[in-house]
Amino acid sequence: MKTALLAAALSVAAVTAAVAAPEKYTLDSSHSQIVFSYNHLGFSTGYGMFSGFAGEIMFDQEDPANSSVSVSMPVKSMLTGWQERFDHFMSEDFFDATDDEMVSFTSTGIEVTGDTTAKITGDLTLNGVTKPVVLDAKLNQVGDHPMAGKPWAGFDATTTLVRSDYNLGQFAPFVSDEVPVMISIEAMKADS
């Protein structure tokens, strides 16, 4: 009898562990954006964006702290809305970017702070410098996508970067050294 109960308990534990394992989601590049802003000489707020980037989330709905995220994009995929500004950002004043230079973020830990919120700590590599950053993240929604007919998840996050930490501090403090970053992504459950 004890053996049967132990076997049943182990079976339930194995099923629970299998259900609770993180599932792979891939970013929906068409609905994922990173927007940054900066103060320009006190006169205006400038904006830039990255869109169309790739990444994946290992998402554990039962235990979000067990999740992870990794994202990367070419520096030259930055959108500024004005070619001359883009050219200046890619120049020696800022990135001195090559065609294959990447921006990447890989999470190293997740602290759940509420029912739909968490702090995601990770390593950001920008301009050849890797530093830890913390994203204040919010789960917007999880469910079946009404058009794609498969599991989908949406997240928003914010952080503030200091340009000079990444050797991008040209013209600071006249152009703000602190750069607020807003992130909004959608991700689809990967096909097995």
Side-chain angles (χ1 to χ4, degrees):
M1 180 71 167
K2 287 182 180 177
T3 305
L5 287 174
L6 180 58
L10 289 174
S11 296
V12 169
V15 169
T16 303
V19 170
E23 297 180 300
K24 182 177 179 179
Y25 281 67
T26 57
L27 262 57
D28 173 3
S29 298
S30 65
H31 294 101
S32 298
Q33 301 84 30
I34 298 171
V35 177
F36 61 90
S37 62
Y38 55 92
N39 180 286
H40 184 256
L41 308 175
F43 293 111
S44 67
T45 301
Y47 295 92
M49 181 171 78
F50 290 94
S51 189
F53 49 86
E56 74 175 40
I57 299 168
M58 293 303 294
F59 184 42
D60 188 336
Q61 275 189 268
E62 299 301 317
D63 181 11
N66 194 34
S67 301
S68 64
V69 60
S70 61
V71 177
S72 64
M73 67 214 71
V75 172
K76 287 194 169 184
S77 67
M78 182 189 300
L79 305 169
T80 67
W82 191 47
Q83 186 62 44
E84 287 82 355
R85 182 177 299 115
F86 172 81
D87 293 342
H88 191 201
F89 283 176
M90 296 303 123
S91 77
E92 291 179 4
D93 279 349
F94 294 100
F95 288 95
D96 195 21
T98 60
D99 287 339
D100 60 350
E101 188 171 344
M102 301 293 283
V103 177
S104 65
F105 175 83
T106 303
S107 65
T108 56
I110 297 177
E111 176 193 351
V112 176
T113 57
D115 289 343
T116 60
T117 59
K119 291 190 179 296
I120 302 173
T121 302
D123 291 328
L124 174 67
T125 300
L126 176 65
N127 200 37
V129 177
T130 301
K131 290 199 170 283
V133 299
V134 178
L135 306 178
D136 288 311
K138 176 181 176 288
L139 171 65
N140 295 326
Q141 180 171 285
V142 178
D144 285 344
H145 191 284
M147 291 174 271
K150 63 191 301 186
W152 220 262
F155 304 87
D156 284 346
T158 60
T159 193
T160 299
L161 302 179
V162 178
R163 291 191 298 125
S164 56
D165 285 350
Y166 297 91
N167 298 322
L168 295 167
Q170 184 76 306
F171 309 119
F174 306 106
V175 176
S176 58
D177 201 17
E178 290 192 351
V179 177
V181 178
M182 298 177 295
I183 303 161
S184 189
I185 62 170
E186 291 185 26
M188 66 198 91
K189 187 173 177 186
D191 295 327
S192 300

